[in-house]
Every structure is written in C-alpha cells, then in structure tokens.
Amino acid sequence: MQRRRRTSISLALIIIGVILIIISLMGLPDQIASAKYPGALDRKAESLAALALESGVSAPTEDGFTVWFSVSNGRSRARVAGGSGDTLEKAWDTALSAAEKLVSSALIEPVWVKADVLTEAKPVTAAELKELSGEYKSGYLRRGVAFGSLDNALMEAEVNFAGVFDYEAGAFNEAALYAYLAETGRQPSGLDGMELLTCRSWFCGEDGMSYALDDNGMREMDASLSETAEAMLGTVSAKLGSMVQSDGSFIYGWQLSDGHEFTGYNVVRHCGAAWSMIKMYERGNESLAGAIKKAVGYVAKNCVTYRDDGAAFIVEEKSDELKLGAGALAAAMFTEYEKAFGGGQYTELAERLGDGMLAMRLPEGGFYHVWNTDFSEKERDRTVYYDGEATFALTLLYGMDGDEKWLSAAKDAADWLISSGYEQYGDHWVSYAINELTKYAPEEKYFEFALKNVSGNLEDARTRVTAGFTDFEMLGAARALISRMQSGNLFPELLQGFDTAALDDAADLRAGYMETAYGWPEYAMYFGDPQAALGGVYAREDGARMRIDDLQHFACGYMLYLDGDMEY
C-alpha cells in the first residue's frame, strides 16, 4: 500500500512538473515580446524624435504639451497611447512609456509607428460639433476629438473610420464610441468637455525611415512629380491584379473602415477594371498578364448572351439585366485585349457586342440603357455614363477592324451627345470618347464639344473636396486631345479662347489631391484591415470604400497625367 502511494505521489509530482514546464513555455513568447517590442518601439521613437523634438512646436495649453503614439503591427487597427508634460521632451517620454506598456501588454509588434503632437485643443459643444460637421462631406472633418481629458482622445482617422461618428446625425454614436474606447484601453467618460484636436504628425515605417506628415495626416510628397505618381500607380496596379481570383472574378472591394469584404458584384465595373489593367500592361507592367487573361476570360465564359441574330450582350446576373454600359465596356475590354495580346481570340465577340450596342440605339438618337434578359425594354435612362461608354467602345471597334459601321454609329452617338448638351455632366467617358473619335473623325464640332465638356466643368474639377478620380480622367483625356490639336495645328481658333494654363493647373492640383485617397501606411494603420488598404485607393466620403472601379479610375487618371494619352 505504501509503495503504491509513493508511486502515485511520484507520478503526481511528474505531472505537476510537466504542467509547470508547459506553463513556463507558454509564457515565454510574452517574455520575448515584452523585451523585443518595446526595444523596436524605442528605435522608431528615436527616429521620430529627431524630427518631432526639433520641430519648434509651441505649447498649445497652459498645462504644456501632449503627445500620442499610434502603433500597428501592419495587420490590425492601430492602438493609441499618450502622455503630457510641461515640456515637449517630458510629454514625449511619458507618451513613449505608455506606448511601451501598451505594446508589451497587447503584444503589438511596432511595424508602423506614428507620433502626434498637439498644437491646438478647441472646446466644442455637441451642438457646435453638429453644426461644424454639417459643413463637411462624410469623412472630411479632419480633427481628433478628446472627451473630458486628453487621455481620452481619438485621432482624426479614428473619429472618421472607427464607426463612432455619424455625419448624418452630426454626433457621436455613444454606444459605438464607448465600446470602441473600452476595446482600445481608454476610459469612456461621457461627451461633456469635448475638444477638437489639431496635431503635427510624424510617421516611422517598417524600414525605419521617418517622415513629416501634412495636414491630411500623410507624408509630405508632391504627387505631381512623376516618381511619386509612378510609385503609387505601381502599387495600385499590383493591388488590382491581386484582387483577381482563380475563376477570373475580382474580389469586389472592402469597406476599409471596418475591414469587411463586399459581397455584391457589378459586371460593368469588372469590365472597366480589366480594361484598365490591359492599359497598364501595354504601358509595360507585364506582371499583370495572367490576371488579365483570367479576368477577360471570366466575362467571355460567364457573362455573354446572344440574340437570334447573333448580337451579343452582357448579362448582369444579380438583376437579370442587359446593360448598355456593360456591353460597351466589355467591347472596350476585348478590343483592347486584342490590341495588347493579338491572336484574334476575342475579335468576333467584341464585334458581336458592338452589334448589341447598335441594337440598343434609339431612332431619335442615343441609346436605350437597360433591357431585360429576354431582350425586352426595361429602363430608358439609367446613367449618363452609358452613352459616353458606348460612343467610346464603338470608336475602339473601328480602330480594331476598320468597319465603317462602327465609325458611323460613333459619330451619330457623338452628334446626339452634342445636341443633348452632355457637356453639362462633366463626364469622363465623354472626354475619352471624343478624344478617341477625333483621331478618325477630326471634325471641328467634335473638338469644340470636347473643349466645352472640360471648360464648363473645370472649376468643379479644380475645387472638389473629394479625391475626384473621374474628374482627373476627364482632365487627362481633354489634355490629350488639346495636345493633338496643338501638334497638328487643328482648328487653332478654337484654342484662342481656351485657357490651357488653367487646365494644366487644375490637373496638377487634382494630381496632388488624389494622393489623399492613396493607402499610405500612416493612414492604412487606422483601418479595420490595414493590409487591404495598403497601396490601394479609397473614397473617404463612403466610409473609406475601396472598390475595383476606384482602383481603375485612379490608375487611368495617372496614366493620362504621366503619359499625355494612353496610346501604347
């Protein structure tokens, strides 16, 4: 009996020892992280300090300075820690100590680190905040907010994209705000004593390099410089290519504010995105070839239907519709594919889609926009964009096979655009279409219309507060047309009253502003899925939406800006 008891005790001690070893091993990563991560944070903070502590920032309050560090591992939304002091150095050290505790306790690898130094704290009531936010489009109130104390502060990107502020109501969603503050280690304290915060900011990336940030919270770079624009274009094209799935469909996009992937689909946007990828390939990005072939093949295999006379149409399955715009952009995509790759694989399909567009023409001019899948009429007018897209596609078809019926139809469509006053819409597809048409039909009325299309919308394109991807395309296509007019001495009298300098200035301004929609890491770090945002583009005004067409329009705008035209 005693021997059996001693054996049981020995076995129990062995089991306890094994458990203790397992527990100690389980704790080892935490110990390593606690030692490693603050050290990495210190190195990046030192790089940031070299810029921030020499910036000459003045104390914004009688209490001195406040500093916040935002830290992200590049895969999850950044966490924020701050501190105050009567000197900038003391505030910096206090905030850094808090950030070190944060990365140790939350096991955050400090891949991206951003420092914000408070320059102004302005008290604001709920009523004043509602009135102020009403002056801005959603996502464009570029201020942080503190609640009761500077310890409970949200950085600007958190205010706009953490799902806590409702622009329609002009107020914080209290339940969402309290949940977010608690989730991120800050103490909810009510909405009394709110302050709007303005900061000077600096960012240190994965490579250890630090940058001063501008008023938009992004690195101070001139996007009108070709090297900056080329770098952005390179990552955007790679992002779009990576979104092509094995079956050829795209990942449609993400709501970056919370990181969720869109479940809807739109074949018009699929075709437009694929067309833009082909343009990037023709420009020299041969790495896109595989993704292009999948995306183009997907439409040919899954989206085409034929009428008895052989005319082809693109089916939008979710709504059982045949859209003029889908047929037009599909024809443009297949035509551009043949130009880039040759072989004739999609030549006939492009022509049959052209016949489908001709079938949707109206006797009085223009096109019927949407049919049912049984080829019956459904909706006369869906969007002004379809008419410009169809005109553009018909002209591309003429450029592919030289059949006069396409050019005749394109000219009829352009005449209808002119008589209908389409310049009022500032449509980028009209700008594309007339630029292309005048290569084959260099008639005065078309050049005059193209100039009206841009001049009448130049001020809007110049001053729009959103990124305005399609404005940039409209300006670029107009500049390409004007360049041909100048080099060929075509209708010089039309240009005598046209302010080409103002057009160039608007394009430069828009190029710089487009950068604010780009997924720099210093802003991507605040989204629900930073990797989805990184190197892409998004629409702030729609909850930081990033769809395939956003990438398309951004890329095409910059290709026109950099190259003057997209004739490769």
Side-chain angles (χ1 to χ4, degrees), residues 247-249 270 274 290-304 333-334 337 345-346 349:
D247 68 347
S249 65
H270 176 115
I292 289 169
K293 292 178 180 180
K294 288 180 183 178
V296 172
Y298 174 86
V299 177
K301 181 180 179 181
N302 299 289
C303 304
V304 182
M333 174 188 71
F334 289 127
Y337 183 93
Q345 181 179 1
Y346 296 116
L349 177 53

Side-chain angles (χ1 to χ4, degrees), residues 118-346:
L118 182 68
T119 58
E120 182 184 38
K122 182 179 180 180
V124 63
T125 66
E128 290 169 338
L129 181 59
K130 181 175 183 178
E131 181 179 357
L132 179 63
S133 64
E135 300 174 5
Y136 293 86
K137 281 187 173 289
S138 179
Y140 280 85
L141 179 57
R142 309 297 287 264
R143 295 290 183 271
V145 178
F147 306 94
S149 76
L150 295 175
D151 292 331
N152 282 325
L154 297 180
M155 301 296 98
E156 174 269 319
E158 293 181 290
V159 172
N160 282 310
F161 300 121
V164 297
F165 189 77
D166 184 342
Y167 273 85
E168 289 188 9
F172 282 94
N173 179 322
E174 293 192 44
L177 174 64
Y178 296 157
Y180 180 74
L181 287 172
E183 176 189 339
T184 55
R186 286 164 280 190
Q187 296 301 314
S189 58
L191 300 183
D192 295 331
M194 285 192 295
E195 294 178 289
L196 290 178
L197 310 178
T198 304
C199 298
R200 288 277 304 278
S201 308
W202 297 264
F203 174 80
C204 186
E206 192 167 1
D207 59 1
M209 297 291 293
S210 291
Y211 305 89
L213 306 183
D214 62 17
D215 292 340
N216 293 313
M218 297 174 185
R219 63 194 65 189
E220 296 177 337
M221 297 182 71
D222 186 352
S224 67
L225 295 176
S226 60
E227 55 265 33
T228 305
E230 290 285 5
M232 292 191 295
L233 184 57
T235 66
V236 168
S237 62
K239 176 72 71 175
L240 193 53
S242 72
M243 292 169 72
V244 177
Q245 302 179 97
S246 59
D247 68 347
S249 65
F250 285 92
I251 296 172
Y252 191 49
W254 294 272
Q255 200 73 48
L256 297 176
S257 52
D258 60 13
H260 84 261
E261 184 180 320
F262 293 132
T263 56
Y265 211 71
N266 182 301
V267 72
V268 181
R269 292 176 178 137
H270 176 115
C271 294
W275 170 74
S276 72
M277 289 170 62
I278 299 169
K279 300 304 295 186
M280 297 175 213
Y281 171 86
E282 291 176 304
R283 194 172 183 268
N285 191 343
E286 296 183 358
S287 65
L288 292 173
I292 289 169
K293 292 178 180 180
K294 288 180 183 178
V296 172
Y298 174 86
V299 177
K301 181 180 179 181
N302 299 289
C303 304
V304 182
T305 188
Y306 292 89
R307 206 167 60 170
D308 288 344
D309 61 1
F313 305 84
I314 298 297
V315 179
E316 186 72 79
E317 289 188 2
K318 68 177 182 180
S319 55
D320 289 327
E321 293 179 335
L322 308 178
K323 298 176 180 177
L324 173 68
L329 289 188
M333 174 188 71
F334 289 127
T335 301
E336 202 67 46
Y337 183 93
E338 288 302 326
K339 179 182 172 184
F341 293 96
Q345 181 179 1
Y346 296 116

